[in-house]
Amino acid sequence: VDRKTRCTGDGTAASATPIDGLEDMERCLSEGLVPVSIYNDAAIFQAEQSRIFGRCWVFLGHESEIPNAGDFVLRKIGTDPVIVTRSSDRAINVLSNYCRHRGTEICRADRGNRSHFKCPYHGWVYSNTGAWVGAPHMNEAYGGKLDAKQWGLMRAPQVDVIHGLIFATLDPNAPPLRTYLGAACWMLEALFTLHPSGVRVVGPPDRILLKSDWKIPSDNFSGDDYHLESTHSSTEKIGVTRGFSQSCFIGHSFELGNGHNFVGHDAARTGAPLWGYPPDISSHFDLSRLDDVQRKMVTDTPPTVGTIFPNLSFIRSIGIAQPDRPPAIFTSLRLWQPVAPGLAEYWNWHLEWVFLAEDHADRAYEIGQYNVGAAGMIEQDDTAVWEGPAKASASPWLRAAGAKFHFQQGQPGPTEIPKDPSWNGPGTHRASGFGDYRQLEFYRHWLRLMRQPMR
Ligand code: FES
Ligand SMILES: [Fe+2]
Protein backbone atom coordinates (compact mmCIF):
# COMPACT_ATOMS: atom_id res chain seq x y z
CA VAL A 1 0.00 0.00 0.00
CA ASP A 2 1.25 3.44 -0.92
CA ARG A 3 4.59 1.81 -1.69
CA LYS A 4 5.65 4.63 -3.93
CA THR A 5 4.70 7.31 -1.51
CA ARG A 6 7.12 10.14 -2.03
CA CYS A 7 7.86 13.09 0.14
CA THR A 8 7.16 16.30 -1.73
CA GLY A 9 9.53 18.16 0.53
CA ASP A 10 6.89 20.39 2.06
CA GLY A 11 5.60 17.79 4.45
CA THR A 12 2.87 16.44 2.21
CA ALA A 13 2.88 13.05 0.60
CA ALA A 14 1.69 11.93 -2.76
CA SER A 15 1.03 8.48 -4.11
CA ALA A 16 -0.22 7.12 -7.37
CA THR A 17 0.12 3.47 -6.43
CA PRO A 18 -2.96 1.26 -6.56
CA ILE A 19 -3.79 -0.48 -3.32
CA ASP A 20 -3.21 -4.21 -3.31
CA GLY A 21 -6.38 -6.24 -3.25
CA LEU A 22 -8.64 -3.50 -4.57
CA GLU A 23 -7.90 -3.87 -8.29
CA ASP A 24 -10.77 -6.26 -8.75
CA MET A 25 -13.19 -4.75 -6.28
CA GLU A 26 -15.14 -2.65 -8.76
CA ARG A 27 -16.10 -5.77 -10.66
CA CYS A 28 -16.92 -7.50 -7.35
CA LEU A 29 -19.25 -4.67 -6.34
CA SER A 30 -20.99 -4.74 -9.70
CA GLU A 31 -21.76 -8.39 -8.94
CA GLY A 32 -22.86 -7.60 -5.38
CA LEU A 33 -19.74 -9.03 -3.75
CA VAL A 34 -17.30 -7.50 -1.24
CA PRO A 35 -13.82 -9.03 -0.71
CA VAL A 36 -13.43 -10.28 2.88
CA SER A 37 -9.92 -8.82 2.97
CA ILE A 38 -11.06 -5.20 3.44
CA TYR A 39 -12.26 -5.63 7.05
CA ASN A 40 -9.07 -6.57 8.85
CA ASP A 41 -5.96 -5.69 6.96
CA ALA A 42 -3.08 -3.52 8.09
CA ALA A 43 -2.39 -2.11 4.63
CA ILE A 44 -6.03 -1.25 3.93
CA PHE A 45 -6.41 0.27 7.39
CA GLN A 46 -3.35 2.43 6.88
CA ALA A 47 -4.53 3.55 3.45
CA GLU A 48 -7.96 4.42 4.88
CA GLN A 49 -6.32 6.85 7.28
CA SER A 50 -5.06 9.04 4.46
CA ARG A 51 -7.56 8.31 1.69
CA ILE A 52 -10.78 8.26 3.73
CA PHE A 53 -10.13 10.01 7.04
CA GLY A 54 -7.49 12.32 5.58
CA ARG A 55 -9.89 13.85 3.09
CA CYS A 56 -13.53 13.31 4.14
CA TRP A 57 -15.47 15.63 6.43
CA VAL A 58 -15.53 13.82 9.77
CA PHE A 59 -18.01 14.34 12.61
CA LEU A 60 -16.44 15.52 15.87
CA GLY A 61 -19.28 16.34 18.21
CA HIS A 62 -22.13 18.73 18.85
CA GLU A 63 -21.89 22.44 19.52
CA SER A 64 -23.81 22.00 22.78
CA GLU A 65 -20.84 20.05 24.16
CA ILE A 66 -18.72 23.22 24.10
CA PRO A 67 -21.18 26.10 24.68
CA ASN A 68 -18.83 28.43 26.61
CA ALA A 69 -15.57 30.15 25.79
CA GLY A 70 -12.75 27.88 26.92
CA ASP A 71 -14.77 24.65 26.65
CA PHE A 72 -13.03 21.78 24.92
CA VAL A 73 -13.49 18.10 24.14
CA LEU A 74 -10.95 15.54 22.99
CA ARG A 75 -11.84 13.77 19.74
CA LYS A 76 -10.22 12.01 16.77
CA ILE A 77 -10.02 12.39 13.03
CA GLY A 78 -9.20 8.87 11.95
CA THR A 79 -6.50 7.89 14.40
CA ASP A 80 -5.31 11.47 14.92
CA PRO A 81 -6.25 12.97 18.30
CA VAL A 82 -7.66 16.50 18.14
CA ILE A 83 -8.73 19.04 20.72
CA VAL A 84 -11.98 20.73 19.74
CA THR A 85 -12.10 24.10 21.50
CA ARG A 86 -14.40 27.10 21.79
CA SER A 87 -12.18 30.17 21.95
CA SER A 88 -13.15 33.57 23.35
CA ASP A 89 -14.11 34.80 19.86
CA ARG A 90 -16.75 32.00 19.90
CA ALA A 91 -14.94 30.21 17.07
CA ILE A 92 -14.58 26.43 17.06
CA ASN A 93 -10.96 25.32 16.65
CA VAL A 94 -9.89 21.79 15.76
CA LEU A 95 -6.28 21.37 16.88
CA SER A 96 -3.86 18.49 16.62
CA ASN A 97 -3.18 17.20 20.12
CA TYR A 98 0.46 16.48 19.26
CA CYS A 99 2.89 18.98 20.71
CA ARG A 100 4.95 20.70 18.04
CA HIS A 101 8.09 20.37 20.17
CA ARG A 102 8.49 16.58 20.31
CA GLY A 103 5.01 15.21 19.71
CA THR A 104 3.75 14.41 23.18
CA GLU A 105 -0.03 14.44 23.53
CA ILE A 106 -0.78 17.69 25.27
CA CYS A 107 -4.32 17.33 26.52
CA ARG A 108 -5.21 14.20 28.50
CA ALA A 109 -8.69 15.17 29.73
CA ASP A 110 -11.75 14.14 27.74
CA ARG A 111 -13.36 17.53 28.33
CA GLY A 112 -12.98 20.68 30.35
CA ASN A 113 -12.52 24.44 30.17
CA ARG A 114 -9.09 25.94 29.53
CA SER A 115 -7.78 29.10 27.90
CA HIS A 116 -4.39 27.41 27.46
CA PHE A 117 -2.88 23.94 27.23
CA LYS A 118 0.53 23.12 28.66
CA CYS A 119 2.44 20.13 27.32
CA PRO A 120 3.41 17.73 30.13
CA TYR A 121 6.80 16.88 28.59
CA HIS A 122 8.86 20.14 28.47
CA GLY A 123 6.13 22.65 29.20
CA TRP A 124 5.44 24.44 25.92
CA VAL A 125 2.19 26.37 26.19
CA TYR A 126 -0.50 26.93 23.54
CA SER A 127 -3.67 29.01 23.65
CA ASN A 128 -6.98 27.35 22.91
CA THR A 129 -6.80 28.76 19.36
CA GLY A 130 -3.66 26.66 18.90
CA ALA A 131 -1.29 29.63 18.97
CA TRP A 132 2.14 28.99 20.50
CA VAL A 133 2.45 31.34 23.48
CA GLY A 134 5.50 30.32 25.45
CA ALA A 135 8.02 27.85 26.80
CA PRO A 136 9.98 27.54 30.04
CA HIS A 137 13.34 29.40 30.26
CA MET A 138 12.87 31.31 27.04
CA ASN A 139 16.13 33.24 27.39
CA GLU A 140 18.35 30.33 28.27
CA ALA A 141 16.70 27.84 25.94
CA TYR A 142 15.85 29.94 22.90
CA GLY A 143 17.68 33.24 23.29
CA GLY A 144 14.43 34.91 24.24
CA LYS A 145 12.67 34.36 20.94
CA LEU A 146 11.08 31.58 19.00
CA ASP A 147 8.90 32.23 15.97
CA ALA A 148 5.46 31.74 17.44
CA LYS A 149 3.86 31.73 14.00
CA GLN A 150 5.80 28.63 13.05
CA TRP A 151 5.19 26.59 16.17
CA GLY A 152 1.48 26.76 16.86
CA LEU A 153 -0.54 23.53 16.98
CA MET A 154 -1.61 22.12 13.63
CA ARG A 155 -5.16 23.20 12.83
CA ALA A 156 -7.72 21.31 10.75
CA PRO A 157 -7.86 23.46 7.61
CA GLN A 158 -11.65 23.38 7.36
CA VAL A 159 -14.20 23.27 10.19
CA ASP A 160 -17.93 23.77 9.76
CA VAL A 161 -21.17 23.25 11.66
CA ILE A 162 -24.57 22.14 10.41
CA HIS A 163 -27.58 22.03 12.77
CA GLY A 164 -25.10 22.07 15.66
CA LEU A 165 -23.11 19.10 14.31
CA ILE A 166 -19.39 19.91 14.17
CA PHE A 167 -17.40 18.51 11.25
CA ALA A 168 -13.81 19.02 10.15
CA THR A 169 -11.63 17.83 7.30
CA LEU A 170 -7.86 17.57 7.10
CA ASP A 171 -7.99 18.25 3.37
CA PRO A 172 -7.59 21.96 2.58
CA ASN A 173 -8.90 21.26 -0.93
CA ALA A 174 -11.98 19.33 0.16
CA PRO A 175 -15.27 20.79 -1.08
CA PRO A 176 -17.27 22.79 1.50
CA LEU A 177 -19.20 20.69 4.05
CA ARG A 178 -22.57 21.30 2.43
CA THR A 179 -21.24 20.23 -0.95
CA TYR A 180 -19.70 17.12 0.61
CA LEU A 181 -22.99 16.23 2.28
CA GLY A 182 -24.99 16.99 -0.87
CA ALA A 183 -28.41 15.40 -0.60
CA ALA A 184 -27.62 14.39 2.99
CA CYS A 185 -27.96 18.12 3.86
CA TRP A 186 -31.59 17.83 2.85
CA MET A 187 -31.97 14.77 5.07
CA LEU A 188 -30.27 16.40 8.09
CA GLU A 189 -32.58 19.38 7.68
CA ALA A 190 -35.60 17.06 7.84
CA LEU A 191 -34.21 15.35 10.96
CA PHE A 192 -32.97 18.33 12.98
CA THR A 193 -35.07 21.40 12.12
CA LEU A 194 -38.48 20.19 13.28
CA HIS A 195 -38.15 22.78 16.04
CA PRO A 196 -36.26 26.07 15.61
CA SER A 197 -34.30 25.62 18.85
CA GLY A 198 -32.76 22.40 17.51
CA VAL A 199 -31.23 19.61 19.56
CA ARG A 200 -28.59 19.32 22.25
CA VAL A 201 -26.53 16.48 23.63
CA VAL A 202 -27.61 14.85 26.86
CA GLY A 203 -24.62 13.71 28.85
CA PRO A 204 -21.17 12.85 27.54
CA PRO A 205 -20.83 10.26 24.75
CA ASP A 206 -20.38 6.60 25.70
CA ARG A 207 -17.33 4.89 24.30
CA ILE A 208 -17.03 1.15 23.79
CA LEU A 209 -14.26 -0.84 22.15
CA LEU A 210 -15.67 -2.93 19.35
CA LYS A 211 -13.79 -5.88 17.88
CA SER A 212 -15.11 -4.89 14.49
CA ASP A 213 -13.94 -2.98 11.49
CA TRP A 214 -15.50 0.52 11.45
CA LYS A 215 -17.08 -0.17 8.05
CA ILE A 216 -19.35 -2.95 9.35
CA PRO A 217 -21.53 -0.76 11.63
CA SER A 218 -21.34 2.07 9.07
CA ASP A 219 -22.76 -0.30 6.44
CA ASN A 220 -25.29 -1.71 8.92
CA PHE A 221 -26.62 1.76 9.72
CA SER A 222 -26.83 2.59 6.02
CA GLY A 223 -30.03 0.62 6.25
CA ASP A 224 -29.60 -3.09 6.99
CA ASP A 225 -33.26 -3.75 7.75
CA TYR A 226 -32.63 -7.39 6.93
CA HIS A 227 -30.72 -8.11 10.17
CA LEU A 228 -33.37 -6.84 12.56
CA GLU A 229 -35.59 -9.91 12.61
CA SER A 230 -32.68 -12.25 13.28
CA THR A 231 -30.10 -10.29 15.30
CA HIS A 232 -32.65 -8.73 17.64
CA SER A 233 -35.06 -11.66 17.87
CA SER A 234 -34.42 -12.11 21.59
CA THR A 235 -36.01 -8.73 22.32
CA GLU A 236 -39.16 -9.89 20.51
CA LYS A 237 -39.14 -13.23 22.31
CA ILE A 238 -39.17 -11.58 25.71
CA GLY A 239 -41.88 -9.21 24.53
CA VAL A 240 -40.09 -5.87 24.70
CA THR A 241 -40.13 -5.25 20.93
CA ARG A 242 -42.40 -6.23 18.10
CA GLY A 243 -42.51 -5.97 14.35
CA PHE A 244 -38.87 -6.63 13.47
CA SER A 245 -40.00 -9.40 11.14
CA GLN A 246 -41.85 -6.76 9.13
CA SER A 247 -39.00 -4.25 8.92
CA CYS A 248 -37.98 -4.98 5.35
CA PHE A 249 -41.60 -5.09 4.19
CA ILE A 250 -42.36 -1.65 5.59
CA GLY A 251 -38.92 -0.15 4.88
CA HIS A 252 -38.16 2.85 2.66
CA SER A 253 -34.73 3.34 1.20
CA PHE A 254 -33.15 6.76 0.75
CA GLU A 255 -29.91 6.59 -1.25
CA LEU A 256 -28.43 10.06 -1.17
CA GLY A 257 -25.14 9.71 -3.06
CA ASN A 258 -21.51 10.15 -1.88
CA GLY A 259 -21.93 7.12 0.37
CA HIS A 260 -24.73 8.68 2.47
CA ASN A 261 -27.79 6.45 2.98
CA PHE A 262 -30.86 6.24 5.22
CA VAL A 263 -33.81 3.93 5.74
CA GLY A 264 -37.25 4.79 7.09
CA HIS A 265 -40.40 2.86 7.89
CA ASP A 266 -44.02 3.16 6.84
CA ALA A 267 -45.80 5.08 9.58
CA ALA A 268 -49.17 3.71 8.53
CA ARG A 269 -47.89 0.24 9.43
CA THR A 270 -45.87 1.16 12.53
CA GLY A 271 -48.56 3.52 13.80
CA ALA A 272 -45.79 6.07 14.32
CA PRO A 273 -45.92 9.16 12.10
CA LEU A 274 -43.18 11.60 13.07
CA TRP A 275 -41.33 8.67 14.68
CA GLY A 276 -44.18 8.27 17.15
CA TYR A 277 -43.53 11.49 19.09
CA PRO A 278 -46.53 12.01 21.39
CA PRO A 279 -48.75 15.06 20.72
CA ASP A 280 -47.38 16.98 23.72
CA ILE A 281 -44.04 17.04 21.86
CA SER A 282 -45.02 16.93 18.18
CA SER A 283 -47.49 19.81 18.61
CA HIS A 284 -44.42 22.04 19.09
CA PHE A 285 -42.87 21.00 15.78
CA ASP A 286 -43.05 23.42 12.88
CA LEU A 287 -43.02 21.47 9.64
CA SER A 288 -43.58 24.61 7.57
CA ARG A 289 -39.81 25.07 7.31
CA LEU A 290 -39.53 21.75 5.42
CA ASP A 291 -40.24 21.28 1.74
CA ASP A 292 -43.20 19.16 0.62
CA VAL A 293 -41.16 15.97 0.16
CA GLN A 294 -39.42 16.34 3.54
CA ARG A 295 -42.79 16.95 5.21
CA LYS A 296 -44.30 13.85 3.63
CA MET A 297 -41.21 11.79 4.46
CA VAL A 298 -41.08 12.65 8.18
CA THR A 299 -44.82 12.12 8.47
CA ASP A 300 -45.31 8.97 6.38
CA THR A 301 -41.91 7.22 6.34
CA PRO A 302 -39.74 8.83 9.05
CA PRO A 303 -36.05 7.91 8.58
CA THR A 304 -35.05 5.62 11.42
CA VAL A 305 -31.37 4.97 10.77
CA GLY A 306 -28.72 6.25 8.39
CA THR A 307 -25.02 6.76 7.81
CA ILE A 308 -23.23 9.89 6.71
CA PHE A 309 -20.04 8.70 5.01
CA PRO A 310 -17.64 7.67 6.33
CA ASN A 311 -18.53 6.81 9.93
CA LEU A 312 -21.34 8.91 11.43
CA SER A 313 -24.63 7.12 11.98
CA PHE A 314 -28.06 8.23 13.15
CA ILE A 315 -30.92 6.46 14.88
CA ARG A 316 -34.27 7.83 15.99
CA SER A 317 -36.80 5.32 17.22
CA ILE A 318 -39.33 4.41 19.82
CA GLY A 319 -37.23 2.90 22.58
CA ILE A 320 -37.84 -0.36 24.32
CA ALA A 321 -39.22 0.63 27.68
CA GLN A 322 -38.24 -0.79 31.02
CA PRO A 323 -41.16 -2.81 32.43
CA ASP A 324 -42.28 -0.05 34.78
CA ARG A 325 -41.70 2.91 32.45
CA PRO A 326 -43.58 4.21 29.39
CA PRO A 327 -41.85 4.13 25.99
CA ALA A 328 -40.19 7.26 24.61
CA ILE A 329 -38.48 8.39 21.43
CA PHE A 330 -34.72 8.57 21.50
CA THR A 331 -32.26 10.09 19.02
CA SER A 332 -28.63 9.01 19.00
CA LEU A 333 -25.62 9.83 16.91
CA ARG A 334 -22.92 7.23 16.78
CA LEU A 335 -19.42 7.33 15.44
CA TRP A 336 -17.53 4.22 14.40
CA GLN A 337 -14.01 5.32 15.15
CA PRO A 338 -11.16 3.35 13.52
CA VAL A 339 -8.60 2.20 16.09
CA ALA A 340 -6.62 -0.59 14.40
CA PRO A 341 -7.27 -3.26 11.76
CA GLY A 342 -10.40 -5.09 12.91
CA LEU A 343 -10.84 -2.81 15.92
CA ALA A 344 -13.07 0.23 16.32
CA GLU A 345 -14.33 2.43 19.11
CA TYR A 346 -18.03 3.10 19.19
CA TRP A 347 -19.06 6.57 20.36
CA ASN A 348 -22.68 7.22 21.18
CA TRP A 349 -24.30 10.61 21.80
CA HIS A 350 -27.88 10.93 23.06
CA LEU A 351 -29.71 14.01 21.78
CA GLU A 352 -32.90 15.77 22.82
CA TRP A 353 -34.84 18.77 21.59
CA VAL A 354 -33.68 21.96 23.29
CA PHE A 355 -37.25 23.14 23.95
CA LEU A 356 -38.05 20.12 26.10
CA ALA A 357 -37.66 20.28 29.87
CA GLU A 358 -34.83 18.57 31.70
CA ASP A 359 -36.96 15.58 32.75
CA HIS A 360 -37.62 14.85 29.04
CA ALA A 361 -33.87 14.98 28.41
CA ASP A 362 -33.23 12.64 31.34
CA ARG A 363 -35.82 10.26 29.97
CA ALA A 364 -34.30 10.42 26.46
CA TYR A 365 -30.90 9.56 27.96
CA GLU A 366 -32.34 6.73 30.03
CA ILE A 367 -34.28 5.17 27.16
CA GLY A 368 -31.37 5.72 24.76
CA GLN A 369 -29.03 3.92 27.16
CA TYR A 370 -31.52 1.13 27.75
CA ASN A 371 -31.65 0.55 24.00
CA VAL A 372 -28.36 1.48 22.37
CA GLY A 373 -26.02 2.32 25.27
CA ALA A 374 -23.04 0.14 26.16
CA ALA A 375 -25.30 -2.44 27.81
CA GLY A 376 -28.38 -1.57 25.75
CA MET A 377 -30.88 -4.27 24.82
CA ILE A 378 -30.29 -3.65 21.10
CA GLU A 379 -26.62 -2.79 21.08
CA GLN A 380 -25.51 -5.94 22.87
CA ASP A 381 -26.92 -7.91 19.94
CA ASP A 382 -25.23 -5.77 17.30
CA THR A 383 -21.82 -5.59 18.92
CA ALA A 384 -21.73 -9.40 19.13
CA VAL A 385 -22.54 -10.05 15.46
CA TRP A 386 -20.33 -7.24 14.17
CA GLU A 387 -17.22 -9.03 15.45
CA GLY A 388 -17.61 -11.83 12.90
CA PRO A 389 -16.60 -10.04 9.69
CA ALA A 390 -13.30 -8.82 11.17
CA LYS A 391 -12.46 -12.33 12.35
CA ALA A 392 -13.45 -13.81 9.00
CA SER A 393 -11.36 -11.17 7.28
CA ALA A 394 -8.27 -12.37 9.16
CA SER A 395 -8.91 -16.02 8.29
CA PRO A 396 -6.01 -17.50 6.29
CA TRP A 397 -8.44 -19.98 4.79
CA LEU A 398 -10.89 -17.34 3.54
CA ARG A 399 -8.06 -15.10 2.37
CA ALA A 400 -6.38 -17.90 0.41
CA ALA A 401 -9.70 -18.80 -1.18
CA GLY A 402 -10.31 -15.16 -2.16
CA ALA A 403 -13.66 -15.29 -0.39
CA LYS A 404 -16.25 -12.55 -0.89
CA PHE A 405 -19.18 -11.47 1.24
CA HIS A 406 -22.69 -11.55 -0.22
CA PHE A 407 -24.40 -8.25 -1.04
CA GLN A 408 -26.55 -9.58 -3.89
CA GLN A 409 -29.96 -8.90 -2.44
CA GLY A 410 -31.82 -6.82 -5.02
CA GLN A 411 -29.55 -7.56 -7.99
CA PRO A 412 -31.34 -7.52 -11.36
CA GLY A 413 -33.86 -10.33 -11.33
CA PRO A 414 -36.89 -11.31 -9.32
CA THR A 415 -35.81 -9.55 -6.10
CA GLU A 416 -34.87 -6.23 -7.70
CA ILE A 417 -36.58 -3.27 -6.04
CA PRO A 418 -37.31 -0.57 -8.63
CA LYS A 419 -36.47 3.07 -7.99
CA ASP A 420 -39.55 5.11 -7.13
CA PRO A 421 -40.30 7.00 -10.37
CA SER A 422 -42.50 9.52 -8.54
CA TRP A 423 -39.79 10.54 -6.04
CA ASN A 424 -39.28 14.31 -6.09
CA GLY A 425 -36.65 14.45 -3.36
CA PRO A 426 -32.88 14.24 -3.88
CA GLY A 427 -31.20 10.90 -4.51
CA THR A 428 -33.10 7.68 -4.97
CA HIS A 429 -36.11 6.35 -3.08
CA ARG A 430 -37.25 2.73 -3.08
CA ALA A 431 -40.37 1.61 -1.26
CA SER A 432 -38.74 -1.34 0.48
CA GLY A 433 -36.16 -2.20 3.08
CA PHE A 434 -35.01 -5.22 1.06
CA GLY A 435 -32.02 -4.90 -1.24
CA ASP A 436 -28.35 -4.21 -0.53
CA TYR A 437 -28.46 -0.96 -2.51
CA ARG A 438 -27.49 1.29 0.39
CA GLN A 439 -24.61 -0.86 1.56
CA LEU A 440 -23.25 -1.25 -1.97
CA GLU A 441 -23.49 2.50 -2.42
CA PHE A 442 -21.44 2.91 0.77
CA TYR A 443 -18.73 0.54 -0.50
CA ARG A 444 -18.73 2.06 -4.00
CA HIS A 445 -17.94 5.45 -2.50
CA TRP A 446 -15.32 3.92 -0.19
CA LEU A 447 -13.65 2.27 -3.21
CA ARG A 448 -13.78 5.49 -5.24
CA LEU A 449 -11.80 7.28 -2.51
CA MET A 450 -9.44 4.38 -1.85
CA ARG A 451 -8.52 4.26 -5.54
CA GLN A 452 -8.23 8.00 -5.95
CA PRO A 453 -4.54 8.89 -5.75
CA MET A 454 -3.46 11.30 -3.07
CA ARG A 455 -2.64 14.74 -4.42
S1 FES B 1 7.10 17.55 23.72
FE1 FES B 1 5.82 19.11 24.32
S2 FES B 1 7.08 20.53 25.27
FE2 FES B 1 8.40 19.02 24.60
FE1 LIG C 1 -29.03 -3.92 14.92
Side-chain angles (χ1 to χ4, degrees):
V1 169
D2 291 352
R3 285 184 304 266
K4 291 181 192 151
T5 298
R6 63 188 164 81
C7 179
T8 57
D10 60 358
T12 60
S15 168
T17 310
I19 295 168
D20 295 342
L22 297 187
E23 300 84 358
D24 198 32
M25 188 164 160
E26 201 159 303
R27 189 181 55 78
C28 286
L29 289 175
S30 71
E31 294 171 5
L33 298 168
V34 174
V36 299
S37 56
I38 68 166
Y39 298 107
N40 194 344
D41 182 283
I44 298 249
F45 182 86
Q46 187 193 336
E48 283 175 338
Q49 297 315 304
S50 53
R51 295 178 183 225
I52 305 288
F53 295 97
R55 50 189 173 193
C56 287
W57 282 89
V58 175
F59 176 73
L60 293 173
H62 192 270
E63 271 200 306
S64 57
E65 294 183 88
I66 49 169
N68 304 309
D71 287 348
F72 73 87
V73 288
L74 211 54
R75 296 289 145 84
K76 283 191 174 169
I77 298 179
T79 51
D80 258 300
V82 293
I83 322 171
V84 182
T85 72
R86 173 87 69 181
S87 44
S88 55
D89 58 359
R90 307 292 305 157
I92 293 173
N93 310 273
V94 176
L95 312 170
S96 165
N97 194 21
Y98 291 131
C99 180
R100 292 296 307 284
H101 182 223
R102 302 281 167 82
T104 289
E105 284 177 78
I106 300 159
C107 177
R108 309 296 175 106
D110 284 339
R111 59 189 54 245
N113 186 286
R114 287 284 181 279
S115 61
H116 293 79
F117 296 93
K118 181 177 178 184
C119 176
Y121 198 176
H122 309 92
W124 279 27
V125 177
Y126 305 88
S127 82
N128 63 7
T129 63
W132 183 93
V133 296
H137 307 298
M138 275 301 292
N139 283 336
E140 296 82 353
Y142 304 111
K145 48 185 170 193
L146 191 149
D147 185 356
K149 282 195 197 68
Q150 271 196 40
W151 295 104
L153 295 176
M154 309 272 288
R155 295 173 60 88
Q158 298 194 65
V159 179
D160 205 351
V161 176
I162 183 165
H163 311 307
L165 279 56
I166 305 168
F167 289 83
T169 175
L170 297 182
D171 182 358
N173 300 309
L177 175 62
R178 282 159 177 77
T179 307
Y180 173 85
L181 292 172
C185 267
W186 177 90
M187 180 59 81
L188 292 176
E189 191 174 50
L191 301 175
F192 291 115
T193 68
L194 301 175
H195 192 276
S197 61
V199 296
R200 66 180 175 93
V201 297
V202 185
D206 317 325
R207 286 155 48 183
I208 313 162
L209 260 189
L210 204 57
K211 291 183 205 156
S212 166
D213 183 79
W214 65 273
K215 295 186 289 300
I216 289 293
S218 282
D219 115 19
N220 176 283
F221 269 78
S222 298
D224 188 334
D225 262 355
Y226 189 56
H227 86 292
L228 293 169
E229 177 180 4
S230 176
T231 304
H232 303 297
S233 60
S234 63
T235 60
E236 290 217 36
K237 284 186 185 135
I238 61 170
V240 294
T241 62
R242 62 191 165 82
F244 280 153
S245 60
Q246 291 304 302
S247 297
C248 286
F249 296 96
I250 64 173
H252 284 259
S253 174
F254 304 102
E255 298 146 44
L256 303 172
N258 292 346
H260 314 311
N261 297 278
F262 283 73
V263 68
H265 296 96
D266 187 344
R269 302 276 298 277
T270 60
L274 284 169
W275 295 272
Y277 277 112
D280 65 317
I281 295 178
S282 61
S283 61
H284 294 275
F285 291 160
D286 176 6
L287 304 191
S288 69
R289 56 191 83 235
L290 303 184
D291 69 32
D292 291 347
V293 185
Q294 286 170 316
R295 216 164 19 246
K296 185 166 167 41
M297 177 179 70
V298 299
T299 307
D300 296 348
T301 57
T304 317
V305 300
T307 290
I308 302 284
F309 193 91
N311 61 337
L312 171 65
S313 293
F314 163 90
I315 179 168
R316 180 177 291 154
S317 179
I318 295 179
I320 300 167
Q322 303 95 314
D324 55 338
R325 305 277 276 140
I329 310 299
F330 69 93
T331 301
S332 293
L333 289 176
R334 40 263 312 277
L335 197 63
W336 318 108
Q337 189 69 53
V339 174
L343 190 65
E345 194 172 54
Y346 146 43
W347 289 59
N348 182 43
W349 288 258
H350 297 295
L351 305 176
E352 188 51 289
W353 297 99
V354 171
F355 76 90
L356 289 173
E358 202 56 38
D359 59 330
H360 269 288
D362 291 346
R363 180 72 185 128
Y365 184 81
E366 186 182 270
I367 200 93
Q369 285 290 57
Y370 194 72
N371 284 263
V372 295
M377 298 283 282
I378 298 290
E379 220 50 54
Q380 291 180 78
D381 299 334
D382 286 322
T383 50
V385 296
W386 289 340
E387 292 186 3
K391 285 185 190 162
S393 183
S395 153
W397 183 9
L398 268 60
R399 287 285 187 114
K404 317 274 190 299
F405 288 143
H406 186 285
F407 287 78
Q408 293 182 332
Q409 199 183 106
Q411 290 281 300
T415 64
E416 185 172 2
I417 312 291
K419 296 177 180 178
D420 172 3
S422 66
W423 176 245
N424 291 322
T428 297
H429 168 248
R430 295 177 217 254
S432 175
F434 283 109
D436 289 320
Y437 306 107
R438 299 164 292 283
Q439 294 93 325
L440 284 171
E441 181 56 31
F442 171 86
Y443 288 112
R444 263 186 225 109
H445 192 65
W446 177 87
L447 182 63
R448 217 172 282 141
L449 291 174
M450 290 291 278
R451 299 186 75 179
Q452 189 177 307
M454 298 299 290
R455 271 190 284 262

